[in-house]
Structures are given as C-alpha cells and as structure tokens.
Amino acid sequence: MNEILKYSYERKAHDAVEVLNRCKFDAHYADNAAEAKEIVKSLIPKGSEIAVGGSVTLQETGIMDLIRSDDYKFIDRFNNKSWDEELHKYRLGYMSDVFITSSNAVTMEGQLVNIDCTGNRTGCIGFGPKKVIIVIGVNKIVADAAEGVKRAKSIAPLNSRRINHGNPCDETLSCENCTGTNRVCNIISIIDGCYKFPGRISVIVVAEELGF
C-alpha cells in the first residue's frame, strides 16, 4: 500500500477509536486484518456461544474461520433446511454470549449506523447478546449519522446482489425503492453511543479497507 495512504488510514482509524471510547464503546485499533482477528480472539472466551450477522468483513479477516472452530459454539445461520429454521437461529442469536458482525457505517460522532432486511443484525447490536463485537475497515468511517444512512443505503444494492435477493437493485446497483418481500433496507438503526451498558459493544477499527 502507498505509504501516505496507509498513514491516512492509520490516522483515521486512531481518531475513530478515540471518539468511540469517549462514547463508552470498547474501541480498539488494528493495523490490519490479521491483527483484528487476534483482537476478536482475545475478546471471546472459549466455549462462548456465538452468533453473527451477515458480513463480508468477517470473511475477509478470517474471523468466520476462527469462530467455526471447536473452541466455540457457533449458531450457524448459513446452513438451514428451511426459512423457519433460519429464523429460529436468528432468534437464538439474541440469547448468545457474543454477537459478531460489521457495521455499514461508523460516525465521527460515536454512532453505529446499519440497514437491515430482517432486523436480526440491527436488533442484536442494540440489545440481547451479552457482548457485541463490531469489526470495520476505515472505508466505513463517516462524519455523522446522515452521511452514515446515505452510505448504508448506497451499499445495500451490493449486499442484495451478494446474497441473491432478487431485488431490482441487484441489476442496477442503485436503489429502486422496491417493495418486495426481499427488500434489504427495511430497518435502519442508529446506535448513538454505548452509555446504557458501557463497553458492551466492542468496535475494532482496522486501518485497511474491508467489506462493502
């Protein structure tokens, strides 16, 4: 990576970590994906029951491989015989020890902004699991909530295409304001600080571009 670009990523990541910690999140800086994976490992005790939100970032960092190991009890939402079974696993996630995912945006005002189809990810971030771990690349850092919502909506078509939801935006890669069952932008969540349960949400900010 270009030295100046890398330095700019480092500065941006450190600044975000400082803001998030002021807002009572448990925020950590990671220089790269491998370091982020090690931080996640340090935050989840062996034997923990773990649920996840759909996330390209978890794949890119190798975190999905980590939590699929025999050290943890993984609620596997990805292998199901029916939609009812998948929904059941989503609900189990609310009672998990640890919920791990990424965020569509993190603001420099100390907010997490997310957009969801079903709401299991946004719901679990807000309440339920004992511990939440968010892993983000610097590409997801924005100025404020309004910019966060704009970013979340702009990448929703990419995620719709990634998971083959069959929405109009799968082809155009821009919002078509669709109204079908598989619409991916049904729920918008803004976590405005972590004041009620300080430190419950850990945010690992990686000085690299990760995910959408």
Side-chain angles (χ1 to χ4, degrees):
M1 181 184 297
N2 177 280
E3 182 179 344
I4 296 174
L5 184 61
K6 176 61 176 176
Y7 177 72
S8 73
Y9 285 176
E10 292 169 354
R11 291 298 311 161
K12 194 172 187 178
H14 278 298
D15 289 347
V17 166
E18 183 178 343
V19 169
L20 290 164
N21 279 322
R22 283 205 305 267
C23 295
K24 304 304 180 183
F25 292 95
D26 171 45
H28 303 259
Y29 169 87
D31 192 60
N32 52 51
E35 191 171 308
K37 180 180 177 181
E38 289 304 309
I39 294 172
V40 169
K41 186 176 181 180
S42 73
L43 292 173
I44 47 176
K46 288 185 177 180
S48 296
E49 185 172 52
I50 300 174
V52 299
S55 169
V56 173
T57 297
L58 297 189
Q59 297 285 354
E60 292 177 340
T61 54
I63 292 169
M64 283 303 305
D65 294 330
L66 170 68
I67 61 181
R68 286 182 182 277
S69 75
D70 293 337
D71 289 336
Y72 312 106
K73 301 171 185 175
F74 177 45
I75 301 171
D76 191 350
R77 50 163 286 183
F78 302 106
N79 295 299
N80 306 287
K81 295 177 181 177
S82 67
W83 173 233
D84 284 343
E85 183 180 351
E86 187 170 343
L87 280 177
H88 177 65
K89 289 180 180 178
Y90 287 170
R91 293 185 177 106
L92 290 177
Y94 284 86
M95 299 299 292
S96 63
D97 297 314
V98 184
F99 185 79
I100 308 176
T101 189
S102 189
S103 182
N104 296 135
V106 173
T107 82
M108 289 304 296
E109 295 180 346
Q111 298 150 323
L112 307 178
V113 182
N114 287 285
I115 196 165
D116 259 10
C117 172
T118 306
N120 60 298
R121 183 174 63 111
T122 50
C124 284
I125 292 172
F127 183 76
K130 297 174 186 176
K131 179 72 177 175
V132 175
I133 301 174
I134 307 284
V135 184
I136 68 147
V138 292
N139 49 310
K140 298 187 176 185
I141 299 172
V142 298
D144 53 31
E147 189 177 333
V149 171
K150 184 177 180 180
R151 183 183 193 280
K153 287 190 172 185
S154 74
I155 57 90
L158 301 179
N159 278 315
S160 182
R161 184 177 179 89
R162 174 177 65 87
I163 54 185
N164 300 311
H165 260 223
N167 292 309
C169 65
D170 290 19
E171 296 302 319
T172 64
L173 294 184
S174 62
C175 182
E176 301 295 334
N177 196 29
C178 66
T179 57
T181 304
N182 288 335
R183 171 186 164 106
V184 296
C185 46
N186 291 313
I187 299 168
I188 295 175
S189 166
I190 299 174
I191 305 296
D192 196 2
C194 198
Y195 302 104
K196 178 64 176 178
F197 302 105
R200 172 181 171 265
I201 302 176
S202 293
V203 185
I204 301 165
V205 186
V206 189
E208 293 181 339
E209 292 193 18
L210 294 167
F212 294 155

